[in-house]
Amino acid sequence: MARTAGRDAEETRRKILEATAEMIGRHGTTVPVSDIAKHAGVSKGGLLYHFPSKEALLVGLATELMTEFREAVQEFAAAEPEGTPGRLMRAYIRASFVEADDPQVLQDFISLAANLMFDPEIEESAKKDAAKWRTELNQDGLDPATVRLIIAATDGANTGPLWGAVLNESDRKQLEQQLISMTYPNS
């Protein structure tokens, strides 16, 4: 398959990562690189140009997902002045609930994350990212007990749809607002 005219290297890389996320989320990490390339609309050689091995592809995807989430949180945080207590936690909640209205998107993401976590390098990277979040969120000016409760509720609400969500759309919107309200001092 020849290079798609008009597509630059970054766009090709993005298409490969999107295709990888879909294929791994649906079929697991045993899906052949050639199938991912076909789904992305590139040749296998084109895929391997951007990611020289399947391991590099999986690590690249996991890194991209963690980076995208961190950037989403930072974008939400930028709406408030720096140093405002609870600013980062509110941004974390908002970024976590962005896709909350679509249970299928959440299921697909959970499946993808579960498949990627079997890779030791990705697992280690995710642990480091989680430790960084823990440090940053605990330095956000909120009581540590509140931080733990909010993280558990936010993360739990976004994994619930894997087995069938107990909370409906209205419940999830209310939960998001309740969690945000907990981030304001004296609330």
Side-chain angles (χ1 to χ4, degrees):
M1 183 177 290
R3 183 178 182 275
T4 304
R7 193 186 308 173
D8 66 17
E10 186 54 38
E11 186 179 348
T12 300
R13 186 179 185 283
R14 165 101 10 238
K15 289 280 188 193
I16 292 168
L17 290 174
E18 288 172 3
T20 303
E22 288 179 33
M23 298 294 286
I24 299 297
R26 295 286 176 172
H27 307 289
T29 56
T30 60
V31 67
V33 170
S34 57
D35 289 358
I36 295 170
K38 183 177 179 181
H39 192 67
V42 300
S43 66
K44 182 177 176 182
L47 183 149
L48 293 172
Y49 172 80
H50 292 277
F51 300 96
S53 67
K54 190 171 188 180
E55 174 73 13
L57 177 60
L58 298 179
V59 170
L61 175 60
T63 301
E64 182 72 15
L65 293 171
M66 288 182 269
T67 299
E68 285 176 358
F69 181 72
R70 187 165 292 279
E71 288 172 353
V73 171
Q74 293 304 328
E75 189 174 318
F76 280 112
E80 295 184 41
E82 279 195 49
T84 305
R87 170 183 178 253
L88 187 62
M89 181 56 63
R90 285 185 290 282
Y92 182 91
I93 295 164
R94 289 181 175 113
S96 296
F97 277 85
V98 165
E99 303 290 348
D101 295 342
D102 190 340
Q104 187 61 54
V105 169
L106 291 176
Q107 282 181 330
D108 290 348
F109 183 77
I110 293 164
S111 175
L112 173 61
N115 276 296
L116 291 174
M117 294 297 18
F118 288 107
D119 182 283
E121 185 176 346
I122 294 171
E123 181 182 11
E124 186 60 32
S125 180
K127 285 179 181 179
K128 287 178 183 177
D129 189 57
K132 186 174 178 181
W133 277 117
R134 179 182 171 83
T135 298
E136 292 172 5
L137 292 170
N138 278 304
Q139 294 174 348
D140 196 32
L142 299 176
D143 177 68
T146 301
V147 171
R148 283 190 300 275
L149 181 64
I150 291 171
I151 292 171
T154 299
D155 292 354
N158 287 299
T159 58
L162 184 61
W163 294 104
V166 173
L167 300 179
N168 63 29
E169 185 178 335
S170 175
D171 293 329
R172 292 173 62 75
K173 287 180 190 282
Q174 288 178 42
L175 176 61
E176 179 181 5
Q177 289 308 307
Q178 289 167 328
L179 293 172
I180 287 172
S181 72
M182 292 174 66
T183 67
Y184 291 102
N186 305 320
S187 53

